[in-house]
Amino acid sequence: MENRFAVKILAVTGICSLIQVVNAAVPDPTSWLQSSSIETTSSTVNPKSTLRWIDGKYLTLEGRGFTDTETSYSRLAKKYQGQVTGGVWTNSVSAAGVALRFVTNSPDISVKWGDVKDPMSHMPWTGTSGVDLYALENNKWVFRGIGMPSGVQNEKVLQTGKAMTATEYLLFLPLYSKVDKVEIGIGQTANIAAGTNRYVNNLPIVYYGTSITQGGCASRPGMAHTSILRRWLDHPSINLGFSGSGKCELIMADVLAEISAAIYVVETVANMDAAMVTSRAVPFITALRSKQPDTTILMVESPNAKNNDRNIEWRKAFEQMTADGMTKLHYLTNNEMYNTREEATVDGTHPTDLGFYQIALKYEPALRAILATQNPASVDQFQSYNSK
């Protein structure tokens, strides 16, 4: 039986030539806050509020590869509307994988966000439309609060009572909702700043795929495997999961290639039947490689055993391209991806939090191994959760 923590990379040809400089020294949160504190207060909230509200546009925005988007928190450039399929465009307006990073010494942290999508029958509303807060403590990202949706305009307290200590936070936005605006509320005497420069030299890991990639059906935005891996690896990521619409159209190779990435993770098998995999896999990967010749591409099988006919064709495509000489192309099987005694999905397809955790366990060593070829000095700066 394959060790579930072993790296399953079937073809590694040479060392990736993508150069990433070791991260610059990151100042401690206290000194960062002292030098970078934001004085601006949002003009859209009640001035008599006991909190001071900061518009998210002044904070560090993660998880987007484009700036000219429909909203400040959606995922594709406007120019792609009409070029990508309707399903891709509709899902791109959601904020899946988008996060705000900031430093504050406020004991109390609240969040305002709006335009919440109606609940789904098979996915918690907290996942589709909630927000999820993590704090960087003792070199780990630790859960600190969930903002549960309640309507068009939401205001939730995510953390109270913490000592007034400068801390870096990461706020994941809704997986399946359009978000027009986010505001962070802190104590009137507290300070807040954009996130530190800890990732200044890190290109993101870009995930392209299906509803599973987008986060269906995680209970919270931070429990999608892409979000879990962002924390475990302490490495920025971009979620280009499009529910029902991750099908390797050639235009999507153009979309991905426009984003400079450390790794492209392509996990579209679950949205493609076997014939579609056969006809599209090689042209798509080849097109992406032609536009980004030096970036590692990781092809991943569907985690669901019922998709094994498609996985077989996906594997054949990988073997054909490597036999033809394509380098920096890696492959991850679904063997033991759901290595659990209990069912890891909601409906036989979409993972629960347990399923996403198992997927992340499978991905982590493979991604760490690839990143190690690019930046050996920093790959182990975070403790692997596999040791727990």
Side-chain angles (χ1 to χ4, degrees), residues 348-364:
T349 299
H350 298 93
T352 60
D353 289 356
L354 173 61
F356 279 120
Y357 175 74
Q358 292 298 142
I359 291 173
L361 285 176
K362 178 75 174 184
Y363 280 41
E364 183 189 16

Side-chain angles (χ1 to χ4, degrees), residues 20-27 32 60-63 99-103 134-136 139-141 168-170 172 194-205 227 229-237 262 371 375 378 381-382:
Q20 287 194 304
V21 183
V22 175
N23 279 350
V26 179
W32 183 266
T60 299
L61 185 60
E62 289 192 6
L100 287 173
R101 188 162 52 86
F102 57 93
V103 177
Y134 290 79
L136 187 59
N139 215 34
K140 293 181 182 178
W141 289 103
E168 189 149 17
Y169 292 93
L170 187 63
F172 290 100
T196 64
N197 63 350
R198 63 187 300 109
Y199 309 113
V200 66
N201 295 312
N202 288 121
L203 296 176
I205 299 171
S227 300
L229 289 162
R230 187 261 171 264
R231 298 193 302 277
W232 287 4
L233 299 172
D234 192 38
H235 196 102
S237 64
L371 290 173
N375 190 358
S378 66
Q381 70 182 50
F382 259 46

Side-chain angles (χ1 to χ4, degrees), residues 195-263:
T196 64
N197 63 350
R198 63 187 300 109
Y199 309 113
V200 66
N201 295 312
N202 288 121
L203 296 176
I205 299 171
V206 178
Y207 299 85
Y208 167 52
T210 67
S211 56
I212 296 175
T213 311
Q214 188 168 342
C217 293
S219 68
R220 296 184 276 110
M223 289 310 297
H225 67 289
T226 57
S227 300
I228 293 172
L229 289 162
R230 187 261 171 264
R231 298 193 302 277
W232 287 4
L233 299 172
D234 192 38
H235 196 102
S237 64
I238 293 176
N239 184 325
L240 293 183
F242 306 105
S243 188
S245 304
K247 298 182 179 181
C248 285
E249 299 90 355
L250 287 178
I251 183 62
M252 295 308 300
D254 294 338
V255 172
L256 267 66
E258 194 170 340
I259 304 171
S260 295
I263 307 168

Side-chain angles (χ1 to χ4, degrees), residues 85-214:
T85 66
V88 167
W89 182 257
T90 298
N91 283 288
S92 77
V93 177
S94 69
V98 180
L100 287 173
R101 188 162 52 86
F102 57 93
V103 177
T104 185
N105 58 359
S106 181
D108 304 318
I109 298 175
S110 294
V111 180
K112 285 180 181 284
W113 76 106
D115 204 2
V116 167
K117 185 176 181 178
D118 291 338
M120 294 184 182
S121 61
H122 68 318
M123 181 172 176
W125 205 18
T126 47
T128 61
S129 303
V131 295
D132 202 1
L133 184 69
Y134 290 79
L136 187 59
E137 298 176 356
N138 298 319
N139 215 34
K140 293 181 182 178
W141 289 103
V142 180
F143 172 71
R144 282 292 171 257
I146 175 73
M148 298 186 182
S150 58
V152 174
Q153 181 62 51
N154 300 273
E155 179 179 338
K156 301 294 179 183
V157 178
L158 272 61
Q159 177 176 291
T160 59
K162 181 180 171 66
M164 198 166 182
T165 304
T167 303
E168 189 149 17
Y169 292 93
L170 187 63
L171 179 74
F172 290 100
L173 301 184
L175 295 167
Y176 274 82
S177 286
K178 175 182 176 181
V179 177
D180 290 314
K181 189 171 185 178
V182 181
E183 294 175 305
I184 305 296
I186 61 173
Q188 291 285 1
T189 62
N191 297 312
I192 190 170
T196 64
N197 63 350
R198 63 187 300 109
Y199 309 113
V200 66
N201 295 312
N202 288 121
L203 296 176
I205 299 171
V206 178
Y207 299 85
Y208 167 52
T210 67
S211 56
I212 296 175
T213 311
Q214 188 168 342

